[in-house]
Amino acid sequence: MASQKATGLRRIISAFGYSIAGLKVCYKHEAAFRQELLVLLVLLPLGLWLGQTGVERALLLGSLLLVPLVELLNSGIEAIVDRFSGEIHELSGRAKDIGSAAVFLAIALASTVWLLVLSEHFSW
């Protein structure tokens, strides 16, 4: 008997469940993800309060959300590398370093957005 894949609403519900499971496993196993979520929880209300327009709020909040998003992708890359490569290999290290660089750039982007948006409102 051929397997039938879920479609429509059932597929959406299943996908949501897989997404929640991914967030939970990353939270459980990745300290960096937990730290980034803590920063996100502290700065999200601040971004809503400090942003004076919808665009500013979107920039402040969107740049913050980008950091854990990239961390999720980086953690996925690291899990795959660790799963399929038990030995130390140059390409494995390169993949992990590139993922880490992506997280660094996301943090740099968020920091820059916050600095530029807030510099418009405060004379430093």
Side-chain angles (χ1 to χ4, degrees), residues 17-63:
Y18 299 141
S19 298
I20 296 301
L23 289 169
K24 286 179 180 179
V25 76
C26 197
Y27 185 85
K28 179 180 179 182
H29 294 285
E30 299 293 333
F33 185 70
R34 290 190 298 273
Q35 293 166 348
E36 291 157 0
L37 281 184
L38 178 62
V39 171
L40 178 70
L41 290 174
V42 169
L43 292 181
L44 268 175
L46 194 60
L48 287 171
W49 182 61
L50 292 172
Q52 294 182 354
T53 67
V55 171
E56 286 183 354
R57 288 184 187 109
L59 286 169
L60 293 171
L61 302 183
S63 66

Side-chain angles (χ1 to χ4, degrees), residues 45-112:
L46 194 60
L48 287 171
W49 182 61
L50 292 172
Q52 294 182 354
T53 67
V55 171
E56 286 183 354
R57 288 184 187 109
L59 286 169
L60 293 171
L61 302 183
S63 66
L64 287 177
L65 288 169
L66 187 63
V67 174
L69 184 151
V70 175
E71 184 65 51
L72 285 165
L73 295 173
N74 179 46
S75 295
I77 290 168
E78 288 182 352
I80 289 171
V81 167
D82 290 344
R83 164 65 174 89
F84 289 106
S85 177
E87 78 276 355
I88 296 174
H89 191 279
E90 177 188 350
L91 292 176
S92 298
R94 189 184 311 171
K96 288 183 171 191
D97 290 347
I98 290 169
S100 179
V103 174
F104 171 77
L105 289 177
I107 292 169
L109 173 66
S111 300
T112 302

